[in-house]
Amino acid sequence: MLRNGLVADLDRRFGRDYSVHGVPSGEAVDVLHATTRGSLALLLVDERVTAPTALETFARGRERHPLVERVLLVHRGKWSSRHPVVDAMALGRVDYHLYVPWVPIERVLYPAISDFLAAWDTSRDVPVVPLTVVGPARDARSHDIRDKLARAAVPFRFHDRASAAGRRVLAEAGQAAGRLPVVVVSSTGAVLENPTDADVVEALGMKTRPTTSRCDVVVVGAGPAGLAAAVSASSEGLETMILEPEIPGGQAGTSSLIRNYLGFQRGVRGDELAARAVEQAWLFGTDFVLTQPADRISARGGARVVRTADGTEVEARAVVLACGVTWRRLGVPALEAHVGRGVFYGAAGSEARAVAGQDVFVVGAGNSAGQAALHLARYARSVTMVVRGSGLAATMSDYLVTAIGATAGWRCSRAARWSTGAVRAS
Ligand SMILES: Cc1cc2nc3c(=O)[nH]c(=O)nc-3n(C[C@H](O)[C@H](O)[C@H](O)COP(=O)(O)OP(=O)(O)OC[C@H]3O[C@@H](n4cnc5c(N)ncnc54)[C@H](O)[C@@H]3O)c2cc1C
């Protein structure tokens, strides 16, 4: 039987870390209600079940377990753009699909389930982390460090300085009266007091200054365009250096889920996409220099010379400019004063858990606002989108508009809803 076979297959591989239960669909809702809140990782339901249907079970599952990942088991043979899974994914009612039969098991079932669990795993505490950050919970610099670590896909733990754990870490680090935030590096035991980005990056073993004065290609910017250029150049055997003033990922690194990137049929988190691209470029030999912007380019004979902010010059045969864009600020002085302390630009990934049970406002009607609203709606009590126009369709991709509309109708008390109007300084 399908259910028993799946339970046995999952139990064999994941049974040590997770308990795997198979229940008849009619009992699923009772089981969901009996399960302790927040502890359910995955819900796998066959598309063919009725009373309740898979989508009804998923809806009840999310009601009870807001972080659970929902996987629809799809039977082959109905390959059409009208397949229910297409709509369900677009409407945000299903997170992933898995084909039945899930063979070859090592290539299909296990990697997919590991990915689904990894997506759920980011929403819970990890036992061992390379960095621990302690600072005031509502502090711009503490937020900035957390945000960059999250975008760099570096696991870390954050403690408010006033919490028992925060006071303990500070005391153990001899920083009870130190300047906050404090970052403790597990591998070396180093304690960084109010560190710069470069201090943190160096503590993680990465380079912040060029160590060579000549190469074939300098790539300016480590967003998706720069990372793609670095992969291409270094895979052709060119000596490639990439300069980045922050950490890799660019705008894409702040995205909670990119669904339209080639090859990622179920979508990919922006930080994960960036981490994969960084590793790929690195494995081809790209030299990464982080927290170091290029501030001047000039010609020297046939070569181009890039000067970095610390005054180092690097000569290259070619320079690729992939500097992207920077955020447009809202320009409301009363809000600017609170940036990093309850007001954030593009921090849906790192701040999502902190908004649990709170009312959140997302300003903007572009794709990034849509992704943020959907992501935050899983944690916040309510999400209100503040938009200038009369709707979202003119500025947001259709799949996101559809998903937001479906969320609003789906559950009013914790759903994304949108209102129009302008943000004014008070
Ligand atoms: C929240 C969010 C969600 C998004 N979701 C999607 C989506 O789902 N699908 C989609 O298609 N697009 C999406 N986008 C848009 C997409 O991320 C961008 O189109 C893409 O990141 C552009 O890539 P880029 O490399 O050209 O520039 P950027 O991503 O802007 O990267 C530029 C890089 O250059 C660096 N840089 C700047 N100045 C210098 C300098 N002087 N020296 C060295 N480096 C410098 C920056 O620090 C940055 O890292 C999203 C954007 C955001 C913000």
Side-chain angles (χ1 to χ4, degrees):
M1 226 170 99
L2 181 98
R3 188 176 66 235
N4 293 345
L6 183 58
V7 168
D9 285 343
L10 291 177
D11 203 36
R12 216 170 15 253
R13 175 59 60 93
F14 300 100
R16 259 181 60 162
D17 299 319
Y18 298 88
S19 50
V20 184
H21 300 287
V23 291
S25 66
E27 293 169 25
V29 173
D30 295 337
V31 173
L32 286 169
H33 276 83
T35 313
T36 321
R37 188 176 177 84
S39 64
L40 197 65
L42 297 186
L43 194 53
L44 294 96
V45 186
D46 189 332
E47 63 171 340
R48 291 179 175 170
V49 300
T50 52
T53 63
L55 293 188
E56 285 164 353
T57 307
F58 287 146
R60 301 294 284 276
R62 267 286 165 89
E63 228 169 78
R64 182 73 193 166
H65 303 274
L67 303 182
V68 70
E69 302 287 328
R70 303 153 302 175
V71 185
L72 189 66
L73 297 175
V74 174
H75 295 259
R76 291 181 191 271
K78 283 191 292 173
W79 184 260
S80 117
S81 59
R82 299 229 174 114
H83 194 290
V85 76
V86 176
D87 271 355
M89 290 280 273
L91 295 172
R93 291 177 176 157
V94 168
D95 298 305
Y96 313 105
H97 72 282
L98 189 67
Y99 277 120
V100 179
W102 42 85
V103 287
I105 195 165
E106 295 287 350
R107 191 150 56 83
V108 175
L109 180 67
Y110 292 154
I113 295 291
S114 294
D115 278 355
F116 306 156
L117 286 171
W120 174 78
D121 211 30
T122 59
S123 63
R124 64 173 186 163
D125 277 337
V126 275
V128 183
V129 287
L131 296 183
T132 301
V133 184
V134 183
R138 294 225 153 183
D139 165 61
R141 183 61 191 145
S142 298
H143 160 72
D144 198 34
I145 291 178
R146 277 169 16 219
D147 185 46
K148 286 187 175 126
L149 290 174
R151 282 196 274 136
V154 175
F156 67 96
R157 191 170 290 129
F158 175 75
H159 298 300
D160 182 4
R161 69 157 173 207
S163 67
R167 287 200 305 270
R168 183 175 43 77
V169 173
L170 288 176
E172 282 170 9
Q175 292 289 330
R179 282 183 307 134
L180 299 175
V182 161
V183 175
V184 181
V185 186
S186 311
S187 57
T188 59
V191 177
L192 313 176
E193 192 181 335
N194 191 21
T196 61
D197 288 351
D199 294 335
V200 177
V201 162
E202 280 170 7
L204 289 167
M206 291 179 266
K207 208 186 279 183
T208 58
R209 284 157 185 260
T211 47
T212 176
S213 58
R214 188 166 291 136
C215 64
D216 293 317
V217 181
V218 169
V219 179
V220 178
L227 290 166
V231 168
S232 298
S234 49
S235 70
E236 292 299 325
L238 298 171
E239 208 179 318
T240 306
M241 177 187 295
I242 192 161
L243 296 172
E244 167 57 49
E246 296 195 354
I247 45 111
Q251 298 167 68
T254 65
S255 171
S256 49
L257 187 70
I258 297 173
R259 277 207 54 207
N260 61 346
Y261 205 82
L262 190 68
F264 292 90
Q265 77 277 36
R266 299 181 181 112
V268 59
R269 288 171 56 98
D271 55 1
E272 192 191 335
L273 181 69
R276 284 173 182 243
V278 167
E279 205 166 327
Q280 193 177 13
W282 173 65
L283 289 172
F284 279 122
T286 296
D287 193 16
F288 279 84
V289 179
L290 305 182
T291 67
Q292 194 67 252
D295 74 355
R296 210 181 109 195
I297 299 177
S298 54
R300 186 179 293 156
R304 296 290 175 270
V305 180
V306 179
R307 194 183 68 185
T308 57
D310 71 347
T312 310
E313 289 191 338
V314 183
E315 204 174 284
R317 286 163 55 203
V319 177
V320 178
L321 296 177
C323 326
V325 297
T326 50
W327 306 105
R328 186 156 47 133
R329 312 291 288 197
L330 199 54
V332 178
L335 284 184
E336 288 296 315
H338 296 284
V339 168
R341 295 182 290 139
V343 176
F344 305 103
Y345 283 90
S350 60
E351 290 303 318
R353 299 176 75 187
V355 304
Q358 303 203 29
D359 297 312
V360 177
F361 287 77
V362 175
V363 180
N367 281 356
S368 35
Q371 286 173 3
L374 284 172
H375 188 61
L376 293 168
R378 289 179 66 179
Y379 301 82
R381 185 170 60 181
S382 76
V383 177
T384 300
M385 297 194 73
V386 182
V387 305
R388 278 187 300 203
S390 57
L392 302 175
T395 46
M396 195 179 286
S397 291
D398 185 56
Y399 79 93
L400 283 167
V401 178
T402 312
I404 289 171
T407 307
W410 171 54
R411 178 143 162 63
C412 293
S413 62
R414 209 196 62 249
R417 59 176 194 266
W418 34 298
S419 59
T420 58
V423 175
R424 297 175 211 285
S426 55

